[in-house]
């Protein structure tokens, strides 16, 4: 009686199979890590250009950026123009929102700083575009994007405790990171979770698109990783009963 030959299992085959699966899983994870910030930025950029109902706005916050010898760059000019449009729409609907420009005195080094703050340069440009200077507030402490909202929103509250509905104007490709930074600021207690915030994107000048995209992809990926690690640490503390009391 003939017997079927039993399958011969070569030593090490199973190990190579699992190694191959691990390589594929690692490659897929790397692709997701690289693609997710790109998708996030693309979606946020498109979403930031939606039509905004400015009639109910209490305030408009304009985020600063680097100046060129004390003058606004095309990037900042686009932000100022978009903010002025919102203010004009609000005023036509009977509103009178506050306007905050945010950004301190920056420069390559402490000995080569700009002659004015980003907030002042932006404020002067907004007034030239028709914004009422009496409704303009300058936030001149912020030196990073993380500081912008952490300083600008409390300034609004100190000036007018009734402020709730706020439009934040920045470059469209910058919106994804600013949203992440706002969530972190709220989680850290730097910003009160009391505002109804709408993000509005100003078009990034063509000459700045490549540099802005490369910068934002890296920073958004880093911010998401940092947020994930921080959340994991907080959750582990809750499970272990060592979380700080609220």
């Amino acid at each position: 009686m003939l017997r079927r030959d039993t399958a011969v299992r070569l030593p090490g085959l199973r190990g190579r199979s699992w190694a191959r699966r691990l390589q594929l899983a690692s490659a897929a994870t790397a692709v997701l890590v690289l693609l997710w910030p790109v998708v996030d930025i693309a979606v946020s950029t498109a979403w930031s250009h939606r039509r905004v109902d400015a009639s109910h706005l209490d305030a408009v916050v304009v985020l600063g950026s680097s100046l060129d010898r004390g003058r606004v760059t095309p990037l900042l000019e686009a932000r100022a123009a978009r903010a002025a449009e919102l203010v004009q729409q609000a005023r036509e609907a009977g509103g009178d929102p506050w306007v905050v420009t945010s950004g301190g005195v920056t420069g390559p080094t402490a000995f080569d700083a700009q002659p004015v703050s980003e907030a002042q340069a932006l404020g002067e440009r907004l007034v030239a575009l028709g914004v009422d200077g009496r409704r303009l507030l300058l936030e001149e402490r912020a030196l990073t994007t993380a500081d912008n909202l952490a300083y600008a929103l409390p300034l609004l509250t100190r000036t007018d405790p009734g402020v709730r509905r706020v439009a934040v104007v920045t470059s469209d490709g910058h919106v994804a990171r600013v949203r992440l930074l706002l969530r972190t600021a709220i989680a850290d207690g730097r910003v009160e979770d009391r505002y109804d915030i709408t993000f509005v994107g100003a078009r990034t000048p063509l000459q700045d698109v490549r540099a802005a995209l490369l910068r934002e992809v890296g920073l958004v990926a880093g911010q998401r990783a940092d947020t994930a690690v921080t959340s994991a640490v907080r959750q582990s503390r809750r499970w272990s009963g060592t979380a700080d009391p609220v």
Side-chain angles (χ1 to χ4, degrees):
M1 184 176 180
L2 297 177
R3 292 184 306 173
R4 294 182 180 178
D5 293 335
T6 57
V8 177
R9 296 185 179 180
L10 298 177
L13 182 60
R14 183 178 297 275
R16 286 197 295 272
S17 175
W18 278 108
R20 181 60 175 169
R21 293 177 186 177
L22 183 60
Q23 290 173 354
L24 291 174
S26 299
T29 301
V31 170
L32 288 174
V33 168
L34 291 173
L35 283 182
W36 179 246
V38 175
V39 173
D40 191 4
I41 292 169
V43 171
S44 295
T45 296
W47 173 77
S48 72
H49 288 293
R50 73 200 183 287
R51 183 178 178 81
V52 176
D53 181 9
S55 62
H56 301 298
L57 290 178
D58 297 318
V60 176
V61 176
V62 194
L63 305 192
S65 184
S66 299
L67 302 176
D68 180 11
R69 290 172 291 182
R71 298 190 298 270
V72 297
T73 61
L75 187 83
L76 277 180
E77 176 67 28
R79 296 184 190 182
R82 188 69 183 94
E85 289 176 9
L86 283 177
V87 173
Q88 181 60 31
Q89 292 169 11
R91 293 177 66 180
E92 289 174 354
D96 191 18
W98 294 98
V99 180
V100 181
T101 56
S102 176
V105 176
T106 58
T109 69
F111 303 100
D112 190 24
Q114 295 289 338
V116 297
S117 68
E118 295 170 3
Q120 181 179 334
L122 261 176
E124 291 173 354
R125 188 67 192 122
L126 283 166
V127 170
L129 290 171
V131 171
D132 186 354
R134 294 170 298 180
R135 302 291 287 178
L136 181 65
L137 302 173
L138 304 185
E139 186 290 294
E140 299 181 280
R141 296 171 57 201
L143 299 178
T144 66
T145 301
D147 289 341
N148 284 135
L149 294 180
Y151 293 153
L153 292 174
L155 172 61
L156 271 172
T157 300
R158 290 194 300 270
T159 304
D160 184 350
V163 168
R164 290 290 185 279
R165 293 159 297 194
V166 181
V168 174
V169 179
T170 188
S171 300
D172 48 11
H174 194 214
V175 168
R177 182 157 60 99
V178 176
R179 290 174 64 199
L180 290 174
L181 289 170
L182 176 60
R183 292 176 191 170
T184 300
I186 291 174
D188 292 343
R190 298 184 72 193
V191 173
E192 293 181 83
D193 190 13
R194 54 176 289 182
Y195 305 98
D196 179 7
I197 293 181
T198 299
F199 290 95
V200 180
R203 294 196 181 279
T204 302
L206 187 59
Q207 65 268 26
D208 295 322
V209 169
R210 178 184 294 182
L213 179 59
L214 291 174
R215 179 183 66 249
E216 292 302 315
V217 166
L219 291 173
V220 167
Q223 183 63 29
R224 283 197 171 277
D226 181 69
T227 300
V229 170
T230 302
S231 298
V233 170
R234 286 175 177 162
Q235 189 63 47
S236 67
R237 287 179 176 174
R238 293 192 188 98
W239 288 340
S240 64
T242 59
D244 295 331
V246 177

